Amino acid sequence: MPMKILKGTVISNKMNKTVVIAVERVFQHPFYKKTIKTRKNYKAHDEENRCQIGDVVEIIESRPISKDKRWKVLRIIKEGEGQ
C-alpha cells in the first residue's frame, strides 16, 4: 500500500529532530454544501533540524518513531521567513 504524502506549514521546531506541521484541508460539507477549512497538526521527524518556522514542507507516512511521531519530512518545498 502506498504511503500518504501531505503538504503543510511548519508551526514549531522547538524540539530536537522534531517539527510540528499544520496541514490544512478544504472540503465541502456533504449536506449544507458550505466550504469548510480544517487544520490538523502532525509531528514529523526532521533528522538534520533543517526546518524553520514558516517553511512549507512535504511529509510522508512512516513507522512509529515515538509515542505520537509517525511522519518524516520528505522535502522542504518553500522556505518561510523564519524566526
Side-chain angles (χ1 to χ4, degrees):
M1 185 153 72
M3 298 197 184
K4 293 178 190 165
I5 296 177
L6 299 175
K7 183 173 144 186
T9 308
V10 177
I11 57 172
S12 172
N13 64 349
K14 291 184 180 358
M15 295 170 275
N16 186 31
K17 296 187 179 182
T18 304
V19 288
V20 180
I21 313 291
V23 176
E24 274 193 359
R25 187 170 84 94
V26 179
F27 63 98
Q28 195 174 46
H29 189 280
F31 183 77
Y32 296 110
K33 308 301 182 204
K34 182 178 176 175
T35 303
I36 302 170
K37 190 189 294 186
T38 61
R39 173 193 264 193
K40 187 169 180 189
N41 295 342
Y42 296 94
K43 286 186 181 151
H45 187 67
D46 179 21
E47 185 64 42
E48 291 94 31
N49 286 320
R50 292 183 309 151
C51 295
Q52 299 299 318
I53 294 174
D55 289 356
V56 178
V57 297
E58 265 187 357
I59 55 175
I60 188 166
E61 206 174 22
S62 72
R63 63 178 179 78
I65 298 164
S66 70
K67 180 183 171 185
D68 49 4
K69 202 162 55 161
R70 274 112 176 93
W71 297 83
K72 287 184 181 176
V73 174
L74 192 60
R75 65 188 178 105
I76 298 174
I77 298 171
K78 188 178 105 183
E79 294 195 4
E81 63 279 347
Q83 285 186 349

